[in-house]
Amino acid sequence: MFKVFRFKPSKNNLKLKPFSFKRLLTLSPKIIKTLLYVILLMTFSAGAQTSEKEVIAEKGDGIYVLLRKHGLEPTENFRAFIKLNKDKLKPDNGLLIGKTYLLPLIKRDTVVTAKDISIKDSIPIILVSKPKDSIVVPEIETITNSLFGEKHKVFPKESETLKGAVYYLISGHGGPDPGAIETYAGKLISEDEYAYDVTLRLARKLLANGAKVYIIIKDKNDGIRDKRVLEVDYDEVYYPNHSISLNQKLRLRERTKVVNKLYLKHKGAYQRLIVTHIDSRSKGKNIDVFFYHHQKSKSGKKLAQNIHNTFKKKYAKHQPNRTYSGTVSSRSLYVIKNTLPAMVYIELGNIKNKKDQRRILNWENREALAKWFYEGLLVDFKERNN
């Protein structure tokens, strides 16, 4: 039998006396209503509480990848994730493999309302409204750039760390010239498509951290592509929207001229040029990412060394059983000799070698390459006055 205890005062003490459900009905509707309202309010308040879900970061995971993997929209949950895990992240907000992280969850807010409904015995009933879903995340600032494609065009502003820095990004070849080519799984793959994809990923990271970025060679249709085989096309243009010439010397002059013009516009600012290419050698030649700079440019050499040092540290951490053999050296290529900003010329690998193809064709590896380039550029920017 349902029993309720109530206090009955006496001269010496307060005694608890049980009484039956029948006696409950003798109480005034107002008292019953208040009692049931309090009980249900406490019950639903407890039910509304949630605890964050714990996940473990795996190799290749970044915040975007981890959030997408667990069904959360990165642009809406990025800041909330950082807030929950700020003590477990690297300085650049990177994840640690094997580390446990908390995910922002949807919190169910329960609204309780009370209404009297006349039914038999005239006992008031509490009606509880349906739960409302709301994602508990702070407002975040986002950046939109259509060049990154529909999936990646909107991304969160991460910081102002690179405010004042100006970067010029040139992906090798483009337009009528696809650069180095190879057949993979029966399909043609080309240097310009993969160099461009890495360049776009780097550009997005730089923009997210406050830099001004000029993408010199661009394709309005491609965007960042999360797939292995990138379709070859010939519709790239050079900044701001000019067709790329058929003649090789003219092509090099076009991109060099536009970079130098922009450099003079931003004279006095910290400015750097990053050129990305993919080499073509014999199929048996496996090469690590390596770097060129202008022979007489101290800033260019330091830039190349800072990125190179970042790669050495990353390989020591992620592939401790193999030696990273990438190099830094000077070379007299047209773009290196004739551009004004301090610059680094990067070769991502050998498009014909199967091991290098794993580095280049896997989109998560391309994302990692862009991130490592960013980290090296960040070191260089921070040391700009040294």
Side-chain angles (χ1 to χ4, degrees):
M1 179 180 290
F2 175 79
K3 294 184 178 181
V4 177
F5 293 89
R6 68 176 180 178
F7 286 104
K8 184 176 181 182
S10 65
K11 291 182 178 179
N12 300 319
N13 59 7
L14 293 173
K15 295 183 179 179
L16 283 173
K17 291 190 176 183
F19 59 95
S20 67
F21 188 71
K22 281 185 177 182
R23 294 188 66 182
L24 176 64
L25 298 180
T26 64
L27 298 174
S28 71
K30 186 175 181 180
I31 294 175
I32 298 173
K33 179 178 178 179
T34 303
L35 180 62
L36 292 177
Y37 182 85
V38 171
I39 293 172
L40 287 176
L41 181 61
M42 292 173 64
T43 302
F44 281 98
S45 295
Q49 297 175 4
T50 61
S51 60
E52 290 83 4
K53 181 179 178 182
E54 292 186 345
V55 295
I56 298 175
E58 300 174 346
K59 184 178 180 181
D61 282 347
I63 295 179
Y64 291 170
V65 174
L66 192 67
L67 290 173
R68 286 197 187 102
K69 190 186 293 184
H70 294 278
L72 295 173
E73 173 55 44
T75 57
E76 294 176 357
N77 292 280
F78 182 83
R79 289 282 177 86
F81 182 91
I82 291 177
K83 187 175 181 180
L84 284 171
N85 301 282
K86 58 184 178 181
D87 296 330
K88 304 177 184 178
L89 299 172
K90 298 178 183 178
D92 65 340
N93 292 329
L95 304 182
L96 297 168
I97 297 174
K99 194 79 172 177
T100 300
Y101 293 94
L102 298 176
L103 293 179
L105 288 187
I106 293 177
K107 183 177 180 181
R108 301 182 70 83
D109 296 325
T110 305
V111 181
V112 182
T113 57
K115 294 182 180 179
D116 289 338
I117 296 182
S118 296
I119 58 174
K120 65 177 182 177
D121 297 327
S122 298
I123 299 177
I125 302 292
I126 305 292
L127 290 186
V128 181
S129 67
K130 293 182 179 180
K132 297 181 180 180
D133 291 342
S134 61
I135 300 178
V136 185
V137 292
E139 290 186 8
I140 60 172
E141 182 182 351
T142 59
I143 302 170
T144 301
N145 191 316
S146 60
L147 268 184
F148 299 145
E150 191 62 32
K151 181 179 177 182
H152 298 282
K153 69 179 182 180
V154 180
F155 52 99
K157 182 73 173 288
E158 296 178 17
S159 75
E160 290 286 345
T161 305
L162 291 173
K163 186 176 181 180
V166 182
Y167 293 97
Y168 308 101
L169 308 184
I170 298 179
S171 52
H173 305 278
D177 175 21
I181 58 174
E182 178 61 17
T183 301
Y184 175 84
K187 296 184 178 180
L188 184 70
I189 58 174
S190 66
E191 172 183 1
D192 68 329
E193 302 296 340
Y194 291 91
Y196 181 61
D197 191 75
V198 172
T199 296
L200 288 183
R201 294 173 189 273
L202 173 59
R204 189 177 65 165
K205 191 69 175 173
L206 293 171
L207 287 167
N209 288 277
K212 186 170 187 61
V213 179
Y214 290 97
I215 302 172
I216 305 302
I217 304 299
K218 53 188 181 178
D219 187 323
K220 65 179 181 179
N221 303 317
D222 287 346
I224 294 172
R225 291 173 281 181
D226 295 342
K227 54 185 181 179
R228 293 184 68 81
V229 177
L230 304 184
E231 183 181 350
V232 179
D233 61 26
Y234 305 92
D235 60 348
E236 291 85 9
V237 296
Y238 74 93
Y239 183 90
N241 194 31
H242 300 296
S243 297
I244 297 175
S245 297
L246 288 168
N247 182 275
Q248 182 187 12
K249 284 189 176 181
L250 283 178
R251 288 198 300 270
L252 296 175
R253 287 174 186 169
E254 288 165 353
R255 57 197 66 188
T256 298
K257 184 177 179 180
V258 73
V259 168
N260 290 343
K261 185 176 180 180
L262 290 168
Y263 176 83
L264 294 174
K265 176 183 175 181
H266 295 285
K267 192 172 182 180
Y270 170 92
Q271 303 184 63
R272 295 294 183 266
L273 167 62
I274 296 91
V275 180
T276 51
H277 278 262
I278 299 173
D279 215 344
S280 178
R281 303 189 185 185
S282 64
K283 290 187 176 183
K285 183 66 174 176
N286 168 226
I287 56 176
D288 280 331
V289 178
F290 62 96
F291 310 89
Y292 294 134
H293 62 85
H294 192 289
Q295 184 178 10
K296 296 182 179 180
S297 173
K298 292 181 180 179
S299 296
K301 182 177 181 180
K302 183 180 177 183
L303 174 65
Q305 288 175 335
N306 278 326
I307 303 176
H308 179 258
N309 288 337
T310 299
F311 268 67
K312 286 198 294 185
K313 292 176 183 177
K314 295 296 184 181
Y315 271 89
K317 179 177 180 180
H318 298 292
Q319 298 187 43
N321 296 322
R322 101 164 182 74
T323 301
Y324 168 66
S325 58
T327 59
V328 174
S329 60
S330 62
R331 192 170 177 188
S332 296
L333 298 172
Y334 184 91
V335 174
I336 296 177
K337 290 191 302 180
N338 293 282
T339 46
L340 295 175
M343 66 92 66
V344 60
Y345 188 109
I346 307 172
E347 291 282 6
L348 302 178
N350 177 10
I351 198 170
K352 294 183 179 295
N353 181 268
K354 292 194 178 296
K355 286 185 178 180
D356 288 7
Q357 285 175 356
R358 287 200 293 270
R359 180 191 315 144
I360 299 164
L361 270 62
N362 185 315
W363 72 264
E364 290 178 325
N365 288 341
R366 296 198 298 274
E367 182 71 24
L369 286 171
K371 184 180 177 183
W372 293 3
F373 292 149
Y374 163 77
E375 291 183 21
L377 292 172
L378 183 59
V379 170
D380 191 77
F381 180 71
K382 289 180 177 179
E383 294 180 352
R384 62 192 181 279
N385 296 321
N386 292 351

